[in-house]
Amino acid sequence: MIRIVTRAHIARLENEARAAVEQARQTGGVANEAFGRHVRELYAATDRAERAEATAAEVGTLLARAMEELSAAQQELLLRDMEIRRLRVEREGESLEGRALTVLLHYGEPHTIYSTREEAHADTATHGMPADHVWKPCGERPAAEFKWRCEAFIYNAASNGFRRAQMPVPKPVEGAA
């Protein structure tokens, strides 16, 4: 078969070929841009995944440390609870009659209650009193005149409570008959 090719036909084929090459070049550019976007998204996703893994590892470490601290705190609470129960059982077996407590007063206001006077004196050292401070009787002066003052209280079964060990001397009422 013989085919006759004219110049117009060749020109048309050349134009179509150029258009096809241009379209292929544009399509290749679009494909390259899409490939670049996908690579950037892949790098970003990989980076996010690595950061998430690092954060998860850090959170895991913090959680493990917190669980250790919680376990230690629970153990300490359990030991304290056992000690409190032991002390309650011990106290229930004893009579409170005659038992004394010492109240540490700060400018006349109750600050803390201690089982012994020595513990109260030792605690004042943590509040700025010298450890070798010589404690003197306060006499009848008001408790508010003293920065730190210790008062003893003794359990009185008749009143079902504690009373001051040293009661102040009653003042006479003036003008009474």
Side-chain angles (χ1 to χ4, degrees):
M1 169 159 127
I2 298 177
R3 189 167 209 191
I4 300 175
V5 180
T6 62
R7 280 186 185 196
H9 185 63
I10 291 175
R12 193 173 58 238
L13 287 175
E14 285 176 349
N15 284 337
E16 288 175 4
R18 272 191 291 252
V21 167
E22 181 60 29
Q23 185 179 4
R25 189 181 62 74
Q26 288 176 358
T27 303
V30 170
N32 285 340
E33 287 176 14
F35 179 72
R37 274 194 314 273
H38 290 300
V39 168
R40 285 190 296 276
E41 288 174 4
L42 178 64
Y43 281 137
T46 304
D47 186 46
R48 284 191 300 266
E50 288 173 355
R51 281 187 276 149
E53 287 175 3
T55 302
E58 186 177 330
V59 167
T61 303
L62 290 173
L63 180 60
R65 193 174 308 129
M67 292 301 290
E68 289 172 2
E69 290 176 4
L70 176 62
S71 176
Q74 287 175 332
Q75 185 69 23
E76 185 177 340
L77 283 174
L78 180 63
L79 292 174
R80 286 185 181 183
D81 186 47
M82 290 168 50
E83 180 67 14
I84 288 171
R85 288 181 186 182
R86 184 190 66 75
L87 289 172
R88 281 185 181 155
V89 167
E90 184 180 300
R91 294 267 179 175
E92 287 172 1
E94 298 176 9
S95 170
L96 293 177
E97 186 65 37
R99 176 172 277 163
L101 294 176
T102 300
V103 177
L104 181 61
L105 303 172
H106 185 251
Y107 290 111
E109 295 294 321
H111 183 271
T112 314
I113 299 173
Y114 298 93
S115 59
T116 66
R117 186 176 216 71
E118 290 74 26
E119 288 177 5
H121 291 178
D123 188 43
T124 58
T126 64
H127 299 293
M129 283 295 277
D132 59 347
H133 178 72
V134 177
W135 292 85
K136 299 175 190 165
C138 297
E140 294 297 317
R141 292 175 40 206
E145 291 183 11
F146 298 92
K147 182 174 182 177
W148 295 106
R149 181 173 174 169
C150 292
E151 290 287 337
F153 288 79
I154 298 176
Y155 185 78
N156 183 338
S159 65
N160 194 25
F162 286 86
R163 300 281 182 190
R164 285 178 84 176
Q166 183 177 4
M167 296 300 287
V169 176
K171 294 181 182 176
V173 179
E174 294 182 21

